Amino acid sequence: MVGRMEVARRAGVSPAVVSYVTNGSHAVSAATRVRVEAAIEELGYRPNAIARSLARSRTFTLGLLVPDSSNPYFAELSSLIEDGAYAAGYNVLLGNGADSSERELSYIRTFIDHKVDAVIVCPSFDFSQGFDELEKMKIPSVSTDRIWSQSNIPAVVVDNEGGAHLAAEHLISHNRTNFACISGDDTRSLSHNRTTGWKQAIQQVGIQVEGNHILHEDFTLTGGWRATMALLEQDPGVDALFVASDIQALGAIRAIVDSGRVPGKDISLIGFDGIEL
């Protein structure tokens, strides 16, 4: 394997100058930099990542913790985050927390052990210990998709309540009369806010929402199917359905078909997220 000494000899500089170029730790003349970079390219030299990290006090690595990267929403989110990180010169370590506090904490400790420069996390129901450990190690972190109310960590989220309100208005515009909602766990802010926005829009036009017309299920395709089948069994006359996640909405579409109805004709349906599927 080619080392720093070989690069230095080829470029006619000292090994320290090679380090200055690869680490960016000292100023180097343009002519010298060109010679060193040419030697690196010619010899195929790869600087030691650990040494570079020590020199810069940075690893140019981010930790990304999501609930489930097989979910199309989180798959697309992870891909976009990775693209943005790569464009900025960073690599991404990905962990699937599976909404398990124990599993999430294990990944956070792995990120810390790998000395990541920062962490992006979609937190579960109880992520307090994870954020405590990140704060203790002074690792910058940001929450996305979900707000963790028990921490001052910055969050990047969509307008869940406003988006659900718009979705309900769209259903109302189709002259539907029997409305229902399928959402996730209502103890989660994301689910609660989407349900609230939908309910407010429905009530503003004088339509009362029956309690049994709001169902809470897993944010999965199976969860959407199961909730829709239960809904149509208790009230076959439902003709407008707001589903608080697209992956649930795909399951709801399957359930509508399985019940002998036509999606978009017998039952108007709208999901939330905007995934490609």
Side-chain angles (χ1 to χ4, degrees), residues 13-86:
V13 298
S14 70
V17 171
V18 175
S19 295
Y20 298 160
V21 171
T22 57
N23 294 333
S25 55
H26 292 73
V28 176
S29 71
T32 299
R33 178 176 296 278
V34 168
R35 291 206 314 277
V36 172
E37 289 178 345
I40 289 172
E41 180 71 22
E42 184 179 344
L43 297 174
Y45 171 62
R46 293 187 62 198
N48 184 288
I50 295 176
R52 293 177 68 191
S53 299
L54 290 172
R56 300 183 180 186
S57 298
R58 298 167 70 185
T59 62
F60 290 90
T61 304
L62 305 178
L64 173 59
L65 184 62
V66 298
D68 179 10
S69 62
S70 68
N71 181 317
Y73 171 77
F74 289 110
E76 291 183 27
L77 178 65
S78 299
S79 178
L80 290 169
I81 289 174
E82 194 275 336
D83 286 346
Y86 183 80

Side-chain angles (χ1 to χ4, degrees), residues 115-183:
K115 300 186 183 304
V116 298
D117 294 329
V119 171
I120 301 170
V121 58
C122 300
S124 67
F125 302 98
D126 183 9
F127 195 70
S128 54
Q129 190 172 356
F131 281 135
D132 286 346
E133 296 209 9
L134 288 170
E135 291 178 0
K136 179 180 178 182
M137 300 303 295
K138 293 181 169 50
I139 297 177
S141 54
V142 61
S143 172
T144 187
D145 185 62
R146 308 169 182 180
I147 295 176
W148 182 249
S149 59
Q150 301 177 38
S151 172
N152 292 324
I153 182 173
V156 178
V157 297
V158 300
D159 181 2
N160 289 299
E161 190 171 311
H165 197 286
L166 287 172
E169 289 178 341
H170 181 74
L171 288 173
I172 293 167
S173 71
H174 282 261
N175 298 316
R176 298 295 173 161
T177 58
N178 193 345
F179 293 80
C181 168
I182 294 173
S183 188

Side-chain angles (χ1 to χ4, degrees), residues 209-232:
V209 181
E210 299 294 335
N212 61 358
H213 280 51
I214 302 176
L215 285 78
H216 299 280
E217 261 288 358
D218 296 335
F219 274 138
T220 61
L221 192 149
T222 302
W225 181 90
R226 190 164 50 226
T228 305
M229 293 298 287
L231 173 68
L232 295 178

